[in-house]
Amino acid sequence: MTSTCRFCASPLHQTFADLGMSPISNAFIRADSPPERLRQRANQGEKFYPLHAYVCDRCLLVQLEEFETPSEIFNAEYAYFSSYSSSWLEHSRRYVTDMIDRFQLDAQSQVVEIASNDGYLLQYFQERGIPVLGIEPAANVAAVARAKGIDSLVQFFSVETATQLVREGRRADLLLGNNVLAHVPDLNDFVAGLKLLLAPGGVITMEFPHLLNLIQQNQFDTIYHEHFSYFSLLAVEKIFAHHGIVLFDVEQLPTHGGSLRIYGRHQENQERPIGENIDRLKLAERSAGLEEIATYHGFASQIQAIKRQLLTFLMQAQERGQQVVGYGAPAKGNTLLNYCGVKTDLLAYTVDASPHKQNMLLPGTRIPVYAPQKIFETRPDYVLILPWNIRQEIMESMQQVREWGGQFVVPIPELTILA
C-alpha cells in the first residue's frame, strides 16, 4: 500500500475496514426490454475495486483510495435523486427555516449549495424569495433542478469554481453542502474553495455521516466507492482550520443513521464565538477512543458479525420455503449485499420508489429493481429494508405488508425482525 492521506499526505498503512472487492455503488445495469437486450446487458462485465478503508495514523482521517474519478462516477446517468425521500425533503425544509431565522437571510442574501442535486433543498429558499445557486456535477440531475427554475452550475466544486464565481461578483452568505464532503477526493482544494467563495460575514454549513456513529452502530455499509473520506469532528476541525475556517458550532442530527452539521466562519471573523457544542462533542469523541488507533482496528470484528447474521437469516428463510425481498436500492445496500455475497438465490428482488432505479440491476449482485407495487403482487414473507436510515418512512408507506403476515427486517446495527 503506497497511497498517502488526502489531507496531510502521510503514508496510509492502517486498515479500518476491508470489505473485499466491490463495484461503484451507483453503477446500475440497465435491464430494458426486449428480453434479448436484457440478456445481453446482464452478460456484460463489471469493474470491481478493493473496498478497503484506511485510517491515517497522523490525522486520523478515515478514507478510501481513489480508483475512478468523480467525473466517471457522477456521469450523465447518475441515478440518485434526493427528492424521492419525503423525510429528507422535510429535513431540508426545516433546515431552510432554521437558517433563515438564525442568520437573518433575506432577498439581499446569496445562498450557494454544493452538490445541489435536483433542487430538493434550494427550492425552499427560492420559495422565500432568497437568491440561490446550485453547483451540481451530474448533468441529468441538475437538469431537474433547472426545470424548477433553480439556477444550477453543472460543475465540480473546486478553487477554480470559487475563483470564477468570485470574479463574477458572487460570494455566499450561506454556503452549504449536504452529504458532499465525503465525496471529495481532493479535500484541500475543496475546502480552500469554500474559503474563497464565502462572504466576509458568511457562514458555511456541511452535513455528513458521523464517524462515531458509523463505528458504534456498525454502519459499515456507508463505506462505498463514491465516498472518499469519513469524518469525526476532531478530524474535520483540523482540515478546516488548516484553510482558515473556524468551526463555531456543531449539531448532531438523526439523518443517515447519525450525522453532524458543522458551522464554519472565516478565521478573521470574530463575530461568532466558538460554542459549547464543539468542546462537548470533541470530548465525547476522545472518550470514545477516536484519538486511539486501536479503536479503528477493532471495527473489523463488528462487520463480520453483521455478515454472519444476515447470511444465517437468509439461508434459514430459504430452507423454510419463505421469500425475502428487498426495499430500496441505495448505495449502502450495494455495499452490504456485495460484501455478504447475496445474490438472487437469497434475495429475489428489491424495489425502489425512484423511477430512475427501476428496471435496473444492482451493481455486482445483479438483483433486479422494480417499482414498490411488486411487493404487493408477490406478497413476500420478509422485506429487507436496505436504506435502514429511513426505515420508519418505508414501513409506513408499505404497511399493507403486515396484512398477509409479512415482516420487515433491518440489518444494521444488528439484524432485527420488525413484525
Side-chain angles (χ1 to χ4, degrees):
M1 174 65 189
T2 58
S3 293
T4 57
C5 175
R6 57 177 36 91
F7 169 54
C8 70
S10 296
L12 291 175
H13 51 80
Q14 302 280 357
T15 291
F16 174 62
D18 186 351
L19 301 175
M21 302 292 289
S22 185
I24 300 299
S25 58
N26 278 306
F28 290 83
I29 299 169
R30 189 172 297 281
D32 297 301
S33 56
E36 60 271 16
R37 187 175 177 187
L38 171 56
R39 285 193 298 272
Q40 181 184 11
R41 288 189 177 270
N43 288 332
Q44 289 179 345
E46 291 179 78
K47 293 181 180 179
F48 283 68
Y49 305 96
L51 190 56
H52 192 152
Y54 293 84
V55 57
C56 175
D57 50 14
R58 179 179 172 190
C59 69
L60 298 177
L61 177 66
V62 172
Q63 54 205 285
L64 293 172
E65 295 178 85
E66 180 181 351
F67 291 102
E68 289 206 8
T69 65
S71 60
E72 291 171 316
I73 295 172
F74 298 94
N75 55 38
E77 294 188 21
Y78 187 61
Y80 179 72
F81 290 72
S82 297
S83 292
Y84 287 99
S85 170
S86 59
S87 59
W88 185 244
L89 288 176
E90 177 58 23
H91 170 77
S92 303
R93 188 196 61 77
R94 287 196 305 269
Y95 168 86
V96 169
T97 299
D98 291 346
M99 295 306 105
I100 290 173
D101 292 344
R102 181 171 181 177
F103 300 118
Q104 293 83 54
L105 302 174
D106 57 27
Q108 307 307 310
S109 306
Q110 176 69 66
V111 174
V112 178
E113 182 180 13
I114 301 168
S116 49
N117 202 262
D118 58 5
Y120 73 102
L121 185 147
L122 291 180
Q123 62 186 338
Y124 299 117
F125 279 116
Q126 188 168 258
E127 288 173 1
R128 302 282 291 270
I130 297 172
V132 300
L133 171 65
I135 302 173
E136 169 55 48
N140 65 318
V141 180
V144 175
R146 285 174 166 172
K148 298 175 183 176
I150 295 170
D151 187 11
S152 300
L153 179 65
V154 180
Q155 199 167 325
F156 287 97
F157 183 75
S158 62
V159 165
E160 182 181 357
T161 309
T163 302
Q164 170 193 332
L165 291 171
V166 171
R167 194 178 293 129
E168 296 170 0
R170 303 179 83 165
R171 300 191 76 180
D173 300 295
L174 176 63
L175 180 55
L176 70 122
N178 290 341
N179 302 304
V180 60
L181 198 60
H183 294 74
V184 175
D186 191 341
L187 273 177
N188 288 312
D189 179 75
F190 184 88
V191 180
L194 298 179
K195 172 76 173 174
L196 280 174
L197 188 55
L198 187 65
V203 170
I204 293 169
T205 74
M206 291 274 145
E207 294 182 22
F208 48 84
H210 189 191
L211 178 65
L212 183 59
N213 285 88
L214 189 157
I215 294 172
Q216 292 182 336
Q217 298 295 316
N218 299 332
Q219 297 169 357
F220 74 90
D221 57 345
T222 58
I223 299 171
Y224 49 80
H225 288 306
E226 193 175 296
H227 287 166
F228 294 101
S229 306
Y230 300 86
F231 301 95
S232 63
L233 178 61
L234 290 165
V236 80
E237 184 183 52
K238 293 175 190 173
I239 296 167
F240 277 69
H242 181 75
H243 293 281
I245 299 172
V246 172
L247 302 186
F248 65 89
D249 197 6
V250 61
E251 292 179 60
Q252 293 174 274
L253 308 171
T255 52
H256 294 285
S259 297
L260 296 184
R261 178 188 293 156
I262 56 172
Y263 293 78
R265 59 163 170 82
H266 286 292
Q267 184 177 335
E268 301 82 2
N269 176 13
Q270 301 296 318
E271 294 180 5
R272 303 188 192 280
I274 299 174
E276 295 179 356
N277 289 342
I278 294 286
D279 290 334
R280 187 181 299 118
L281 185 53
K282 287 197 297 184
L283 177 60
E285 290 187 345
R286 291 190 180 105
S287 298
L290 291 193
E291 286 188 324
E292 301 166 16
I293 202 70
T295 301
Y296 301 87
H297 289 167
F299 189 51
S301 61
Q302 300 174 214
I303 297 172
Q304 293 161 8
I306 296 294
K307 180 176 184 176
R308 289 192 296 269
Q309 289 175 6
L310 179 60
L311 288 175
T312 297
F313 164 75
L314 291 173
M315 288 188 288
Q316 288 179 348
Q318 185 185 59
E319 290 170 0
R320 294 191 297 265
Q322 296 173 311
Q323 186 183 50
V324 184
V325 304
Y327 189 103
K332 58 167 58 74
N334 290 326
T335 290
L336 177 72
L337 298 175
N338 278 289
Y339 171 66
C340 294
V342 175
K343 304 290 179 63
T344 52
D345 58 333
L346 295 176
L347 193 72
Y349 64 83
T350 191
V351 302
D352 200 275
S354 171
H356 303 282
K357 295 182 179 180
Q358 294 164 11
N359 300 315
M360 304 285 247
L361 302 175
L362 295 184
T365 63
R366 303 294 177 97
I367 293 170
V369 186
Y370 300 109
Q373 180 62 29
K374 181 77 170 180
I375 288 179
F376 303 131
E377 296 169 1
T378 64
R379 298 164 69 94
D381 299 284
Y382 297 100
V383 177
L384 177 65
I385 298 177
L386 296 172
W388 44 260
N389 52 299
I390 56 170
R391 57 185 175 272
Q392 200 59 45
E393 174 186 335
I394 290 168
M395 288 190 293
E396 289 174 3
S397 69
M398 302 295 290
Q399 57 186 324
Q400 188 179 336
V401 166
R402 294 191 172 97
E403 293 180 5
W404 62 79
Q407 296 176 292
F408 296 99
V409 182
V410 179
I412 303 290
E414 60 182 3
L415 192 130
T416 305
I417 298 174
L418 304 170

